[in-house]
Amino acid sequence: MKPGHVGVYPQPKPAPYIIKINSSSYQSGKPIQVQILGPPYRGILLQTRAFSKTTLYGTWLEPPNDTKILPVK
């Protein structure tokens, strides 16, 4: 997954962010809360997948108002 914004490139060093979740495993029908902690950012691409798989899981229930949800292809 790479940035698609004009003039934005992948960072060559580790990002200064922490992605915090409230569960270490997924149970069908039980939401998982995701928080991004760190300095302001322009964009982020998050996907939910099983380890080493390409199938996407779940839906975003309450994304922030300035969030754009990409259609699943």
Side-chain angles (χ1 to χ4, degrees):
M1 297 188 309
K2 292 185 179 181
H5 303 289
V6 174
V8 178
Y9 304 97
Q11 290 182 225
K13 56 187 176 186
Y17 303 99
I18 295 171
I19 297 177
K20 185 177 174 182
I21 56 175
N22 68 345
S23 179
S24 62
S25 63
Y26 170 74
Q27 295 175 3
S28 183
K30 185 177 179 185
I32 295 177
Q33 183 180 30
V34 178
Q35 291 179 299
I36 302 165
L37 307 172
Y41 53 90
R42 182 172 175 184
I44 187 164
L45 179 57
L46 294 176
Q47 294 181 338
T48 54
R49 303 177 188 207
F51 184 75
S52 297
K53 304 291 181 186
T54 58
T55 303
L56 301 178
Y57 291 94
T59 58
W60 299 103
L61 298 178
E62 297 177 21
N65 291 335
D66 58 351
T67 300
K68 177 181 178 183
I69 304 233
L70 301 176
V72 176
K73 293 181 180 182

